[in-house]
Amino acid sequence: MPITSAYDPETVELLRTVLDQAWADLHPRHKVQISKSHMAGYVLRHAAAGERHPGRLRFRAIADAVQELAAA
């Protein structure tokens, strides 16, 4: 059974802001290799694990994306 999470409106706004910041901070060469929706998956994965600090969410999402791209 898939795990589902529901977020309150404030958390949704936080996650949207973090995603936008992480995407803006991603190097342009990485943006052509990964989609913004894929980046959203990284943010959501860390949020589902309980992380709510915007800076840590942003950093971890970017780190995940760069690590995946380096492994490809």
Side-chain angles (χ1 to χ4, degrees):
M1 177 188 292
I3 298 173
T4 59
S5 297
Y7 299 107
D8 60 72
E10 293 81 17
T11 302
V12 171
E13 185 58 34
L14 167 79
L15 297 175
R16 182 176 290 130
T17 299
V18 167
L19 172 60
D20 289 342
Q21 291 172 345
W23 186 252
D25 290 346
L26 194 63
H27 194 281
R29 76 170 182 252
H30 294 135
K31 287 181 182 179
V32 299
Q33 297 174 296
I34 191 170
S35 68
K36 191 172 181 181
S37 62
H38 204 96
M39 178 67 81
Y42 295 131
V43 173
L44 289 171
R45 179 173 52 196
H46 292 291
E51 183 60 69
R52 293 296 186 275
H53 186 276
R56 287 190 293 265
L57 278 169
R58 182 182 54 78
F59 175 82
R60 290 176 180 166
I62 292 170
D64 286 352
V66 171
Q67 184 177 18
E68 181 178 312
L69 292 171

